[in-house]
Amino acid sequence: MNVISLFLALSAFSISANAVPPLISTMVETTGIRAPNFGFFIFIQYVACSLIAFTGSSIKNKLRLSNYFVVAIGLIAITISLILGGVLLHSYLALLIWVIPLGLSGAAVEVFASIELSNLSDFNSSKNLCLSQVFYSLGAFAAPQIVYFCFDFGMEWESIFFIFSLVSVLVLFFFLVINQHRLRFESVSNKFQSNTKAVILKTVNSRRLFLIFLLIMMSYVIIESLSAAWLAYSFEQEFQLNTKNAALVLAAFWGGMVLSRFLIVMLPARLTLWPTLLVSSVLLLLATVIILPAPGYTASFIAVIVM
């Protein structure tokens, strides 16, 4: 059950990380903040995420917290941030301040939940990590769906943040119940656990391969982040959609992501590296070529799913 709790924690983080994009146009109308400024807010959020990714392990070791303890703290901070989002986000400064703790807490959940999932995996197996990406995508898929149904009931965007926080509270409660005996301070002798898997780049070829994967991942994350942040708003402007229907476009993007990542989990190991990279790159290029000229709503919508 602790594996399920970690997966759900990643989904809760994903919902929080993808809460703002489907609401951008509505927030523009009510707050008066220009749409391009939201790109800066999202950038600051990712900078905060990167800060935890680089320094989180050192801070955790100094405070002698278990990974589960850090994930729980992150979930609590996410919940508080989402509640405050429904109250405070009516000015440029409030948004700028708000995204920083949201990014820090989200990264704490993602980083240390992923570490625990890696430790719980069998040796030389990436199944848990692959499944963690499926659950991240499920959370990202859920966020615009929640927006769609809430707008269908006539709710305001401020109230939708409270719905997001409710989901986070439920995940937090489940996580605390399942992992209460793991929420502890670690002794000095347990700081470096024996089951931690070290990656040693022994040869020049290994280092080169690492750099290749690093560049591929950076390129992919840039495309994914831009798509997640601006697809809904772009479709609203290009095809005159309302915010509710534009949220479905973003849901289609993440729905395609859920499907593809789940298929990768099911594939035999020999097909999950270069063949998958090749096929995915071709499909991504094809979708980009189709969507950039905005040939029409139907073609662009299909391209979003392929993307």
Side-chain angles (χ1 to χ4, degrees):
M1 291 294 283
N2 61 320
V3 174
I4 295 175
S5 72
L6 291 167
F7 286 150
L8 291 178
L10 287 170
S11 293
F13 151 67
S14 181
I15 288 174
S16 71
N18 293 279
V20 171
L23 295 170
I24 287 178
S25 63
T26 304
M27 294 176 73
V28 167
E29 293 173 2
T30 57
T31 64
I33 300 172
R34 295 175 62 247
N37 290 329
F38 282 86
F40 178 68
F41 299 140
I42 294 170
F43 169 74
I44 295 298
Q45 182 180 350
Y46 280 111
V47 169
C49 285
S50 300
L51 184 64
I52 289 296
F54 283 112
T55 64
S57 182
S58 299
I59 296 172
K60 181 192 86 78
N61 288 334
K62 283 184 180 180
L63 298 176
R64 296 188 292 111
L65 303 175
S66 69
N67 291 334
Y68 288 92
F69 205 139
V70 178
V71 173
I73 293 172
L75 286 172
I76 291 170
I78 285 174
T79 302
I80 294 172
S81 296
L82 290 173
I83 293 172
L84 292 176
V87 178
L88 302 177
L89 301 187
H90 291 277
S91 69
Y92 188 99
L93 182 60
L95 261 166
L96 184 60
I97 295 173
W98 178 76
V99 295
I100 295 174
L102 186 69
L104 293 173
S105 55
V109 172
E110 182 182 31
V111 169
F112 292 100
S114 297
I115 290 173
E116 277 304 314
L117 286 169
S118 180
N119 287 336
L120 291 169
S121 298
D122 295 330
F123 180 74
N124 204 28
S125 172
S126 60
K127 291 292 184 184
N128 276 351
L129 283 178
C130 287
L131 275 173
S132 74
Q133 290 302 299
V134 173
F135 276 84
Y136 174 89
S137 299
L138 281 172
F141 173 75
Q145 292 279 50
I146 291 171
V147 170
Y148 178 86
F149 287 112
C150 286
F151 276 135
D152 219 24
F153 283 101
M155 296 175 66
E156 301 293 333
W157 67 264
E158 293 93 340
S159 302
I160 296 176
F161 274 100
F162 293 122
I163 301 298
F164 287 145
S165 66
L166 177 61
V167 175
S168 184
V169 165
L170 293 174
V171 173
L172 173 62
F173 178 76
F174 181 77
F175 187 87
L176 293 176
V177 170
I178 296 299
N179 300 297
Q180 54 186 314
H181 60 289
R182 300 183 180 93
L183 306 176
R184 63 182 186 276
F185 291 94
E186 295 181 333
S187 63
V188 177
S189 60
N190 289 335
K191 187 181 293 184
F192 300 102
Q193 298 180 11
S194 59
N195 64 343
T196 300
K197 301 170 180 62
V199 177
I200 303 174
L201 304 177
K202 295 181 179 179
T203 66
V204 174
N205 287 337
S206 296
R207 294 191 194 97
R208 287 175 179 170
L209 192 59
F210 175 78
L211 289 174
I212 290 172
F213 284 135
L214 180 63
L215 291 173
I216 291 172
M217 284 302 298
M218 285 180 62
S219 301
Y220 162 73
V221 169
I222 289 172
I223 294 172
E224 179 189 292
S225 302
L226 287 173
S227 300
W230 293 110
L231 267 176
Y233 183 78
S234 299
F235 267 70
E236 280 187 67
Q237 301 304 307
E238 184 66 32
F239 301 111
Q240 286 75 53
L241 301 180
N242 57 32
T243 303
K244 185 183 77 168
N245 290 328
L248 286 182
V249 176
L250 195 53
F253 171 76
W254 286 112
M257 196 82 74
V258 170
L259 180 61
S260 62
R261 287 178 172 175
F262 183 75
L263 288 175
I264 290 172
V265 173
M266 297 294 104
L267 287 175
R270 68 180 185 278
L271 298 178
T272 57
L273 186 54
W274 296 116
T276 300
L277 279 175
L278 180 60
V279 173
S280 300
S281 299
V282 171
L283 289 176
L284 182 60
L285 179 61
L286 177 63
T288 304
V289 169
I290 292 174
I291 203 170
L292 283 178
Y297 176 76
T298 302
S300 297
F301 188 82
I302 293 172
V304 165
I305 298 173
V306 173
M307 186 183 290

